[in-house]
Amino acid sequence: MSETTHDSRPDRVVLAYSGGLDTSVAIGWIGERTGAEVIAVAVDVGQGGEDLEVIRQRALDCGAVEAYVADAREEFATEYCMPALKANGLYMDSYPLVSALSRPVIVKHLVAAARQFGAQTVAHGCTGKGNDQVRFEVGITSLAPDLKCLAPVRDLALTRDVAIDYANQHHLPIATTKNNPFSIDANVWGRAIETGFLEDIWNEPTKDVYSYTDDPTYSPLPDEVTLTFDQGVPVAIDGRRVTPLEAVQEMNRRAGAQGVGRIDIVEDRLVGIKSREVYEAPGAMALIAAHKELENVTVEREQARFKKTVGQRWTELVYDGQWFSPLKRSLDAFIEDTQRYVSGEIRMVLHGGRATVTGRRSEQSLYDFNLATYDTGDSFDQSHAKGFIEIYGLTSKLSAAREAAGGQQPEASS
Ligand code: ARG
């Protein structure tokens, strides 16, 4: 290596570290292949599992020059999960964006660590086939265009077999069983499970796939919960104030116990592959169901119809790794504006895999009992309906008359 610059320190690489086999091996592997020092960054987004201090120590034992743990749970819930809730973000009408939401917050912490430790490169453990590589790298470019990206699994030929051999040869403090069948990604918003026998899309998920949810077939007695929202964000559960993180955690526990939020879909990845994914997101799915219904009560019709389209586009952008993009920011502003009156309470029953809304009330409600009722107290003047329909149907009437005059049958009878 020619040391022509006055700074003779080796390059530094910040690595998104999970504590698993691939990223543990990547620490030494990056060092050997590039000569760089590795700083391992573990970000706590509520993935549970191993103690993060143990993970931090493992990074050092695997050869990292620094290891850094960021507790991003509150930040993740407030700044990432809550916007997804306001958007009712369900990719392909089903998947609540679990992994797609966590990548941008991890990216923020990786970039901060790169600045703090003077690194020029950010590395992650993704393969070349998934969405997460895109989310990491587009995110990094968006926040720090000067930083380089490195994916050792994809770019430095760090295959699983190589990783196992490397870990054994170097006596790395990490289990190297070849039979962990699944690739799992988890955070407080949910859990994603893929690969293994699930790749045969006819195979039913087995019980061991799940950990956030209990089997809905054998659920305990129904659990009734009252959720209070303020401008689209849950602020109390059964009258107790909660932070966004606490709201998601408590709903994970209670809806999870009832088997709510299990999802099994074939999904369109950004890279063009269709892949089978199993998710469990009890808190997210229960909160979205409640939030949607409160919107039904409080959001004006035209705004609500348009918001559905905006929410879907927002969701696709987030799925596609465009969290920091200008369009996403603009759509955020629209969605935020729609939440102005989304305040009030939703009562729901959690049971047998379902979160069912059973009541709603709001000071900001647009529901008018006297307009809706068929009983006494009706304030809706039905005599106006006749003229409304006459004018509303006029264009259809005109075009139907033209078809009839031209000897054509109107649509319905042809
Ligand atoms: N398919 C999902 C997504 O792209 C989940 C990805 C989960 N990642 C993983 N390493 N298992 O958002």
Side-chain angles (χ1 to χ4, degrees), residues 400 403-404 408-414:
E403 309 231 324
Q408 306 234 358
Q409 295 293 315
E411 274 294 324
S413 53
S414 61

Side-chain angles (χ1 to χ4, degrees), residues 89-247:
L90 294 174
Y91 182 66
M92 296 174 77
D93 298 327
S94 307
Y95 163 45
L97 293 175
V98 174
S99 305
L101 289 174
S102 76
R103 277 21 182 188
V105 72
I106 295 171
V107 162
K108 259 198 175 169
H109 286 275
L110 294 174
V111 169
R115 299 303 186 216
Q116 183 184 341
F117 294 104
Q120 301 78 30
T121 302
V122 174
H124 59 78
C126 304
T127 71
K129 292 179 72 170
N131 299 312
D132 289 330
Q133 54 173 342
V134 183
R135 296 169 184 152
F136 275 120
E137 295 181 29
V138 173
I140 289 159
T141 317
S142 306
L143 294 185
D146 58 304
L147 292 179
K148 292 190 290 282
C149 296
L150 180 65
V153 172
R154 182 192 67 195
D155 305 336
L156 300 177
L158 181 59
T159 61
R160 193 144 188 98
D161 290 338
V162 168
I164 290 170
D165 291 344
Y166 187 98
N168 288 335
Q169 276 163 22
H170 293 76
H171 308 290
L172 297 185
I174 172 94
T176 56
T177 54
K178 289 201 186 192
N179 55 13
N180 180 7
F182 304 122
S183 165
I184 294 168
D185 184 52
N187 60 56
V188 72
W189 201 236
R191 189 164 167 273
I193 310 100
E194 51 188 25
T195 73
F197 73 92
L198 295 171
E199 284 174 357
D200 179 339
I201 63 179
W202 185 251
N203 283 343
E204 184 180 354
T206 47
K207 290 187 192 314
D208 61 321
V209 163
Y210 300 106
S211 91
Y212 281 18
T213 53
D214 292 331
D215 189 340
T217 321
Y218 308 104
S219 72
L221 289 175
D223 182 8
E224 187 183 84
V225 57
T226 301
L227 292 162
T228 308
F229 287 85
D230 182 22
Q231 302 198 332
V233 172
V235 292
I237 297 180
D238 293 330
R240 268 174 299 100
R241 301 290 297 181
V242 286
T243 64
L245 177 63
E246 289 164 347

Side-chain angles (χ1 to χ4, degrees), residues 16-83:
Y17 184 63
S18 70
L21 174 67
D22 289 346
T23 53
S24 294
V25 168
I27 294 171
W29 192 256
I30 290 171
E32 284 178 17
R33 293 298 172 103
T34 70
E37 292 179 341
V38 174
I39 293 121
V41 176
V43 182
D44 187 357
V45 284
Q47 56 268 53
E50 266 188 306
D51 184 338
L52 277 158
E53 183 47 36
V54 173
I55 288 181
R56 198 184 78 84
Q57 189 56 48
R58 180 176 308 139
L60 295 171
D61 295 343
C62 289
V65 294
E66 302 269 5
Y68 170 99
V69 178
D71 181 355
R73 288 173 304 165
E74 204 74 63
E75 175 188 7
F76 176 58
T78 305
E79 294 171 32
Y80 297 80
C81 302
M82 292 303 107

Side-chain angles (χ1 to χ4, degrees), residues 227-231 294 341-346 361-363:
L227 292 162
T228 308
F229 287 85
D230 182 22
Q231 302 198 332
L294 189 58
Y341 299 115
V342 185
S343 303
E345 289 184 316
I346 292 291
R361 67 180 166 206
S362 166
E363 307 258 299

